Amino acid sequence: MPEFNREEYEYKEYLPTYPKIDYEPHVELKIDDRGHYADPEMKALLGAATKVDNIGATIGIQLDGIDLRKLTNQQKDELALLAAKRGVVVFKNQDASIYDMIDIASYYGPLHIHSTTGVPTDPKLAGVHVVWSDGTKDVDRIQMDRPRSWHTDQPYEINPPGLTSLKVITDPPTGGDTIWSSSAAVFASFSPQFQAYLETLYALQSSEHQKVRALAAGTYIRRPQTDFVHPVVRVHPVTGMKALYINPSYTARIVGIPKAESDFVTKFIYSQIMECEDFKVRIRWSKNQIVYWDNRVLWHTATYDIYPYKRHALRATPVAERPESVADYEKRTGEKAKNWYEEKMRALGEDITGPKSVFKPAGAD
């Protein structure tokens, strides 16, 4: 393949650069989630759409006929709630620029500024994450660790991302899809006993391998390495829904239990991310399409099938609250955290409180 010519590229101003800037370590921020202020029926947002399509049974929704540049604050609040409930929200045919996306993202909270990934040249876009493949080489099929590609964005921060938006500005003619999986639904598929155990655990989230990879590429590290311990099961502050918060990319281990046990638990959960197809949605990108998703209740991965084509996307990512455990959420709110499966059955009018264990000890009624 010929080498990529940067100067002749249509969107050269949005290509990744790696400035030598030193950022201060993050400190905890108190975030007031805008979803709290939304109309529960989301009439302003859904009512403005010419078509509403639930793409997947579990997660995913597409709204047609909405211009994101014209969203009112009420509609922005409802977008936060919709993403919390449906996970992934797709908007096609959007003329919104990355500057417009930044304006919308900033409504939800301070933007996450990454310490290693590429950013556009304009300092006003320091909070933009550039996703870029120049199409000159395929992925390393020998070294590729496909399960590790599943992740949530920057879980090693004290305030990890919440509502996130991505726009693909150069898309391959086919391939380069993104797949999301519901961490709330996967968690709810486990036995009540296993769920209760996981709710007591905490995991070390680390940016170590990301920093090592950046250093190997000669990238300047703009903020010291980040490691943070978060609950294995977090609760969404608006919906009250429980969701798993570990992932193959950034979770170093579960703390406070033997390594062998940590390895066993995490490997089982990671296998369920890949095997539970009914909890996923796969989105094919098209030009001027923008997708919003809630990083608190989802995992995602790209598909590695775009060679020999370019793929270029821009992401705007506001941070959310510090993850809260089930026990802390219930103590703070006085309310019981919710289970995805139980809520689904309740909405259907079923008299089911969750997956039942078929095992009964000897002598049990």
Side-chain angles (χ1 to χ4, degrees), residues 181-193:
S181 176
S182 171
S183 54
V186 170
F187 173 72
S189 71
F190 300 155
S191 69
Q193 298 93 327

Side-chain angles (χ1 to χ4, degrees), residues 146-351:
R146 188 172 294 276
R148 197 171 189 176
S149 68
W150 283 97
H151 65 285
T152 57
D153 293 326
Q154 289 76 62
Y156 47 75
E157 305 285 19
I158 189 171
N159 286 91
L163 183 62
T164 300
S165 58
L166 185 72
K167 182 175 186 178
V168 173
I169 56 177
T170 297
D171 58 315
T174 186
D177 299 353
T178 302
I179 308 171
W180 283 269
S181 176
S182 171
S183 54
V186 170
F187 173 72
S189 71
F190 300 155
S191 69
Q193 298 93 327
F194 191 45
Q195 291 179 35
Y197 169 63
L198 294 176
E199 289 175 15
T200 68
L201 302 177
Y202 286 76
L204 175 64
Q205 311 288 353
S206 176
S207 63
E208 170 66 19
H209 88 272
Q210 191 174 65
K211 299 288 177 71
V212 168
R213 188 171 56 194
L215 288 171
T219 301
Y220 184 78
I221 306 299
R222 302 188 289 272
R223 182 182 292 110
Q225 174 175 327
T226 305
D227 292 319
F228 213 85
V229 172
H230 289 307
V232 167
V233 182
R234 70 180 297 178
V235 182
H236 194 288
V238 177
T239 65
M241 199 70 69
K242 304 174 188 177
L244 287 162
Y245 202 62
I246 62 172
N247 68 89
S249 287
Y250 299 114
T251 302
R253 62 165 295 167
I254 298 174
V255 299
I257 63 175
K259 182 180 183 302
E261 185 175 343
S262 171
D263 291 346
F264 180 85
V265 170
T266 55
K267 287 178 181 178
F268 169 72
I269 291 173
Y270 300 159
S271 73
Q272 295 305 290
I273 299 175
M274 289 173 279
E275 292 175 9
C276 294
E277 299 297 337
D278 45 332
F279 301 149
K280 296 177 185 175
V281 68
R282 178 168 178 157
I283 301 299
R284 181 175 183 179
W285 292 91
S286 59
K287 192 171 181 65
N288 290 332
Q289 177 174 301
I290 296 177
V291 175
Y292 282 80
W293 74 93
D294 195 321
N295 260 292
R296 293 168 289 192
V297 293
L298 298 169
W299 298 287
H300 63 279
T301 184
T303 59
Y304 298 93
D305 53 359
I306 62 172
Y307 179 77
Y309 302 106
K310 299 180 185 65
R311 185 174 186 270
H312 192 183
L314 304 173
R315 191 186 83 196
T317 310
V319 300
E321 77 288 347
R322 179 176 176 174
E324 190 172 30
S325 70
V326 174
D328 288 344
Y329 171 86
E330 293 181 344
K331 180 179 179 181
R332 177 179 63 83
T333 65
E335 299 178 359
K336 184 175 176 58
K338 298 175 181 178
N339 177 285
W340 179 87
Y341 181 81
E342 293 176 7
E343 294 304 306
K344 176 184 177 180
M345 292 298 105
R346 186 174 290 112
L348 293 173
E350 298 284 348
D351 185 21

